[in-house]
């Protein structure tokens, strides 16, 4: 029995032809009826699957790839992959659709299953950093501001939801020192926001009058360069003026119990 079909034959039906073999020459005693059979070639299963990928909001799409399984006879079948997502598409998921490319018209021999992939757009990182500030003791707090880092596609704080609010624990009554500045109040569906605290430094007045005299100054007998001369066993007064924003002295009398003697 023989057929003209080969592994490369297309989908369809092919005759199976019987041929009698008569090594002892007996066929002349028979009235022969020969009935062909049929070889049916069905479509082969072929699956094209798009690979899943991810990126952040505002970034370009990564390369889209996938796999094809079930190709027979080294048929020249390839695939392209596409998605509707663009750089400005909001956070979410988008289908990746495969399209088969068949330059030699072989797809008719396959039952094709097409499996979409998923492009996931994740939030882009955005940092809101409270700006460091300084003020003079007992003065009102300065305006508290922040700096943004991480916007994409030319966006600005107007792209965020809510109103930025920055606060500090410092008041007009707090002492000299450093106090945290924290910001909050803004959210976004497309950005993962990190708030970074800043610091408000409360300082003595760096100049001006202090109780009617020059403020922020070291007084005699300690000289402006930090040196002084004194007798062994004598008490050396260390005097200075520091004031708040209103020019009120903040000095407190006391005793220096530790010091460095650098030269005799």
């Amino acid at each position: 029995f023989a057929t003209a079909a080969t592994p490369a034959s297309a989908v369809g039906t092919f005759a199976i032809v019987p041929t009698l073999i008569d090594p002892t020459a007996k066929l002349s005693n028979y009235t022969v009826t020969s009935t062909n059979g049929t070889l049916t070639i069905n479509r082969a299963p072929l699956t094209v699957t798009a690979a899943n990928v991810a990126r952040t909001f505002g970034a370009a799409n990564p390369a889209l790839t996938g796999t094809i399984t079930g190709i027979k006879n080294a048929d020249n079948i390839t695939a392209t992959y596409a998605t509707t997502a663009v750089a400005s598409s909001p956070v979410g998921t988008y289908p990746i659709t495969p399209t088969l490319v068949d330059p030699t018209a072989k797809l008719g021999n396959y039952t094709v299953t097409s499996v979409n992939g998923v492009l996931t757009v994740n939030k882009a990182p955005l940092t809101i950093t409270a700006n460091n500030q300084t003020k003079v003791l007992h003065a009102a707090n300065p305006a508290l501001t922040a700096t943004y880092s991480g916007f994409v596609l030319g966006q600005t704080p107007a792209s965020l939801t809510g109103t930025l609010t920055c606060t500090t624990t410092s008041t007009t009554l707090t002492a000299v020192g450093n106090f945290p500045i924290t910001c909050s109040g803004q959210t976004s569906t497309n950005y993962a926001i990190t708030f970074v605290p800043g610091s408000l430094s409360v300082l003595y007045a760096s100049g001006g009058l202090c109780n009617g005299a020059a403020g922020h100054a070291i007084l005699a007998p300690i000289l402006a360069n930090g040196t002084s001369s004194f007798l062994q066993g004598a008490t050396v007064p260390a005097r200075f003026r520091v004031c708040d924003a209103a020019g009120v002295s903040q000095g407190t009398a006391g005793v220096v119990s530790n010091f460095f003697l650098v030269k005799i």
Side-chain angles (χ1 to χ4, degrees), residues 105-171:
K106 298 294 185 179
L107 276 181
N109 296 320
Y110 295 91
T111 299
V112 176
T113 299
S114 182
V115 181
N116 288 350
V118 176
L119 169 63
T120 301
V121 178
N122 296 313
K123 291 185 176 184
L126 178 71
T127 301
I128 302 177
T129 303
N131 295 322
N132 295 331
Q133 303 280 7
T134 61
K135 75 164 187 172
V136 177
L137 178 66
H138 296 161
N141 289 339
L144 303 180
T145 59
T147 300
Y148 296 79
S149 176
F151 280 118
V152 297
L153 304 174
Q155 293 186 336
T156 67
S159 304
L160 305 180
T161 301
T163 302
L164 182 69
T165 301
C166 297
T167 60
T168 180
T169 56
S170 172
T171 68

Side-chain angles (χ1 to χ4, degrees), residues 7-111:
S9 296
V11 167
T13 57
F14 297 83
I16 301 172
V17 180
T19 299
L20 291 171
I21 300 172
D22 180 25
T24 55
K26 300 296 185 178
L27 275 180
S28 60
N29 298 320
Y30 296 89
T31 299
V32 176
T33 300
S34 181
T35 304
N36 290 348
T38 301
L39 171 62
T40 301
I41 298 180
N42 297 312
R43 295 187 178 196
L46 183 146
T47 301
V48 55
T49 303
N52 297 331
V53 294
R55 64 168 175 85
T56 58
F57 170 71
N61 289 337
L64 304 179
T65 62
T67 57
I68 303 174
T69 57
I71 291 178
K72 306 297 184 183
N73 304 312
D75 286 343
N76 183 24
I77 297 172
T78 58
T80 60
Y81 304 88
T83 181
T84 57
V86 296
S88 59
S89 297
V91 166
T93 57
Y94 300 83
I96 301 171
T97 305
T99 300
L100 290 172
V101 180
D102 179 28
T104 54
K106 298 294 185 179
L107 276 181
N109 296 320
Y110 295 91
T111 299

